[in-house]
Amino acid sequence: MTSADATLPGLEGLTEEEVTILEESNKLVASSLPEPCKSWLLGKWLFVEFLGVGDNGPDVDERKNHVVLRVLFATNHGTWKGVRISMDMLPNEDLEDFSSGLEDHDVYSIEQLNETWFPGEYYLKLIKFDKASRRCRQEFSFAFKHTTTLGDFIGLGFERKFAQSFVFVIRGLAWKG
């Protein structure tokens, strides 16, 4: 990332270090979104994408395997046109830290689920495209009633506590969230 890149339209308020982190991140934990990004205005539409995640056997409808949200920005921010929001399993290296502090989290216990489960994390990925992702098998769209910002939209996941209590379980040959 060069200093010229940090001055692209829509990146005002971000430090060069923040721009570099955003550019190099495949996905970002939602709670670590830099403050200036929280004020970015979202476009009119929320897209719900049902993703195919590979071969799950003949009895698995892969369109129902994983869902992500995609929202385009009202105006581009640097080269980013929008954001993809998802719940994904914690990376293996984070599982030990999570389980050591489990009593502090508002999540289902193994006894309540009565099966093996893995914690999820609330992630964002800034995207440079405005169409559905390559793995999208089906999508639906909903219009926002009011103008909203990225920070307000992301904040709903924390306010409604789904970001703190999402888990993945194995069902048949596939992960389910």
Side-chain angles (χ1 to χ4, degrees):
M1 179 69 43
T2 67
S3 60
D5 292 334
T7 60
L8 287 172
L11 300 182
E12 297 83 4
L14 288 169
T15 65
E16 281 190 50
E17 181 181 1
E18 289 171 326
V19 172
T20 301
I21 290 169
L22 292 172
E23 189 69 42
E24 293 176 354
S25 297
N26 181 37
K27 57 186 174 182
L28 185 69
V29 174
S31 60
S32 66
L33 185 68
E35 201 60 39
C37 300
K38 293 178 182 177
S39 65
W40 293 354
L41 290 178
L42 300 179
K44 182 178 179 178
W45 297 97
L46 165 68
F47 298 93
V48 179
E49 295 184 7
F50 292 84
L51 304 182
V53 293
D55 184 17
N56 290 307
D59 297 328
V60 176
D61 183 355
E62 75 168 21
R63 289 177 302 165
K64 297 180 181 175
N65 241 349
H66 197 62
V67 173
V68 297
L69 303 178
R70 177 174 47 93
V71 184
L72 300 178
F73 299 131
T75 59
N76 291 353
H77 291 279
T79 58
W80 296 303
K81 295 184 177 189
V83 63
R84 182 174 137 167
I85 303 161
S86 64
M87 294 296 294
D88 293 317
M89 286 190 338
L90 284 176
N92 286 337
E93 60 270 13
D94 293 342
L95 285 175
E96 187 175 318
D97 291 340
F98 179 86
S99 60
S100 66
L102 190 57
E103 63 279 355
D104 298 330
H105 293 278
D106 183 20
V107 297
Y108 299 107
S109 71
I110 293 172
E111 293 79 26
Q112 288 171 311
L113 286 174
N114 200 22
E115 54 193 304
T116 304
W117 63 277
F118 296 86
E121 182 67 77
Y122 189 28
Y123 287 107
L124 307 175
K125 179 179 182 176
L126 296 175
I127 56 175
K128 297 181 180 186
F129 53 87
D130 57 5
K131 303 288 186 220
S133 58
R134 289 187 314 263
R135 291 182 12 220
C136 180
R137 299 298 180 255
Q138 189 170 12
E139 78 173 349
F140 300 96
S141 58
F142 301 92
F144 287 110
K145 282 187 163 184
H146 306 284
T147 302
T148 191
T149 64
L150 180 57
D152 288 342
F153 189 71
I154 297 305
L156 287 174
F158 294 108
E159 287 174 27
R160 306 293 173 137
K161 297 194 185 254
F162 82 80
Q164 294 94 336
S165 58
F166 200 89
V167 296
F168 289 87
V169 295
I170 298 174
R171 294 276 168 88
L173 299 173
W175 289 102
K176 300 293 180 186

